[in-house]
Each structure stands twice: as structure tokens, then as C-alpha cells.
Amino acid sequence: MESFDVTIVGAGLAGLHCARLLSKQGLRVLLADRKASLDQKIHTTGIFVRRTLEDFDIPEDCLGPVIRRVSLYSPAHQVLNLQSKHDEFRVGRMGQLYTRFLNQCLRAGVSWLPSANYLDSLPPAGESIVRFSVDSRTQSVKTKFLIGGDGVCSRVARDINLDSNREWIVGVENVYEDVHLDGPPSLLCFLNPKLAPGYIAWIAYDGEQAHIGVGGYPTRFDPVCALEEFETSVTQIVDLRKAVRIERRGGRIPVGGVLKNIANKRGLLIG
């Protein structure tokens, strides 16, 4: 059984960034993810805000053009346009970005375990034993410290007695190319209690791609049906007649507040 200083479950942005930093400090790091390839089944919209762009070194070629304009739409589609002098948003090319960050991890010495479904972590007797299901077989490793970057409903957090999210909204979006939308790159936010109950619908258009999505409380709407209705309702704003849908994304967004207990002697929750 291999032994690691740190095992990270989940190769999202947080897991990848954490793995690279820890490996550069000389620690032996294992990064595991349930996906075989990180450019498949992406869940995040990848809309980066200015603070993130300033704080993290995101490769320029993994980002779309700058967005400085925000348009806020009422339920009746009355619009308020806001313009910033700063580079407020950029839409990441997430498959390319994940692949780039993974390659940086590998160059830093991180061990990579794809197609690995996390099963559980057994209480430590010096080191924790972490078990994965890999290609229909169980693979176990020893680790001194376990980090959960495995999403909103983290199973790692459950196993090492950390706090868990208990309230969330769900979102779904389509990603299009060959879209026409008048004006400069913009983030369009729509208030609509029927199609996006408790949150917003959105169009993030950077001149190259358009992300069109809805989000809300899962007990109050059907996300896929709401997305279809939303796209129909904005045909006068965005022209999708020649658009090519390249991806559909969906996921959960926690809204229950900041978790208090995110670390103990066994591990850490990130992301």
C-alpha cells in the first residue's frame, strides 16, 4: 500500500491548486478524481470575478475576452446597464484550464489517480487508510492528511467529521459558440421568480462563447425545463438560430452560509 503525506479527493480548481502548492513544498501528494479526464462533465460556469483574476495566476489563453458591462433585467425585461472601468469578469475555458493545471501538478511531482471513486477513509492508527474504487477494484492508500475537494456534498467531510452543506440551489446552463448578441461582451442577469426561484438566470457573453443558464431552489422548479423556457424568452436579446451548443453543465451551489468546522487533525475541506 502506497503512503502519501497528503491525499486530495477532487481535482477541481481548489484541488488542483492545493495539490500543486503542497507538492512544491516537498510533500508527497496524491490527487484523485472520479473522472477519467478533467475536460469531461464540467460542472462550473467558470465565470471568474475580478478578485479571483487578481489573486490567482490563471493562464491568459485559458480565459475569454474581458467583460466590463453588466445588464440587470427585471421580470418584465426592463434593463439597467452598468459599465465598469475595470476588467470585472472573464469566462474560463474550463476544460483547457483544468488540463493545464493538471500538467502543472504532474510537473511538480503530484501522483495522479483518475477514474477513482472515493469510498471511505478509515480512522487513523498513525495514518488514515483511504479507499477508492478504480476500474471495478478497490485501491487503498495510506495518508497522513486527507483533503476533500469533492464538492458541495463532500463525502470526505462526512468521514472525517467536518461540517457539511445542508442547503443549496441548483443550476444548469448551455454553452454555445457562433452566438450573436448586440453590443460589447456582457454579463446579463435576469430576475425571474418562476424560471430562477431564489436566484437568477444569466447570459455570460464574451464575444466568443455564450453561457446561458438558470439557477434556483430545487424544490421550486425543474431546471432543464426552466432553461428551455428561458432561452425561448430571450430570443429578442440573443440570437441562437445559428448557435452550436458545445456543452451542457449543471451543479449545486451551497447557500447555507460559511461552514465553521472545515479542518481537524485528520484533514481539511476546500473548494
Side-chain angles (χ1 to χ4, degrees):
M1 191 184 304
E2 285 193 273
S3 182
F4 296 89
D5 295 311
V6 180
T7 296
I8 301 173
V9 179
L13 289 176
L16 288 162
H17 189 66
C18 189
R20 180 167 56 105
L21 292 178
L22 292 175
S23 187
K24 286 185 174 181
Q25 294 297 317
L27 298 175
R28 192 171 186 216
V29 178
L30 173 67
L31 177 63
D33 195 274
R34 60 186 176 83
K35 294 191 290 186
S37 176
L38 295 186
D39 59 1
Q40 302 173 351
K41 298 180 180 179
I42 295 170
H43 293 288
T44 179
T45 62
I47 301 174
F48 293 107
V49 300
R50 173 156 55 105
R51 179 65 181 269
T52 302
L53 295 168
E54 291 172 349
D55 287 352
F56 295 93
D57 183 19
I58 301 175
E60 182 69 23
D61 64 335
C62 295
L63 296 169
V66 168
I67 297 175
R68 294 184 173 183
R69 185 184 186 192
V70 175
S71 297
L72 306 178
Y73 286 81
S74 73
H77 279 192
Q78 293 179 328
V79 61
L80 171 66
N81 292 316
L82 305 172
Q83 185 76 27
S84 174
K85 62 182 179 180
H86 301 290
D87 298 348
E88 294 293 348
F89 304 97
R90 297 186 73 174
V91 180
R93 307 303 185 240
M94 299 308 297
Q96 182 178 339
L97 182 58
Y98 284 143
T99 301
R100 182 73 57 81
F101 281 172
L102 177 59
N103 288 335
Q104 292 178 1
C105 287
L106 297 177
R107 287 196 297 270
V110 173
S111 295
W112 168 233
L113 184 63
S115 302
N117 287 293
Y118 171 81
L119 296 177
D120 54 28
S121 171
L122 305 180
E127 292 180 313
S128 295
I129 297 177
V130 184
R131 300 195 306 166
F132 298 95
S133 175
V134 184
D135 298 328
S136 300
R137 61 183 176 83
T138 300
Q139 181 170 333
S140 301
V141 300
K142 292 181 179 180
T143 191
K144 296 177 182 177
F145 201 71
L146 178 61
I147 294 179
D150 53 333
V152 174
C153 301
S154 172
R155 297 171 67 186
V156 171
R158 174 203 65 190
D159 287 348
I160 62 176
N161 297 317
L162 299 176
D163 284 351
S164 299
N165 292 299
R166 302 187 184 278
E167 185 178 4
W168 49 76
I169 58 177
V170 295
V172 62
E173 72 170 12
N174 290 325
V175 183
Y176 291 100
E177 290 182 341
D178 299 328
V179 174
H180 178 71
L181 193 152
D182 290 333
S186 301
L187 176 62
L188 288 63
C189 301
F190 297 78
L191 297 176
N192 189 314
K194 175 187 175 184
L195 300 181
Y199 195 51
I200 60 170
W202 64 89
I203 301 174
Y205 173 71
D206 63 9
E208 296 177 354
Q209 291 184 353
H211 292 235
I212 302 179
V214 296
Y217 286 100
T219 58
R220 294 166 56 185
F221 81 139
D222 181 314
V224 174
C225 291
L227 177 57
E228 293 174 355
E229 187 173 345
F230 173 60
E231 289 187 342
T232 301
S233 73
V234 294
T235 53
Q236 294 183 339
I237 298 172
V238 58
D239 185 357
L240 297 176
R241 288 175 295 179
K242 297 182 180 180
V244 178
R245 191 178 82 179
I246 59 175
E247 200 171 353
R248 170 168 283 182
R249 301 177 181 176
R252 296 177 175 181
I253 306 169
V255 293
V258 177
L259 299 180
K260 296 181 180 179
N261 179 28
I262 63 168
N264 57 27
K265 292 182 179 180
R266 292 186 62 189
L268 169 69
L269 180 63
I270 61 173

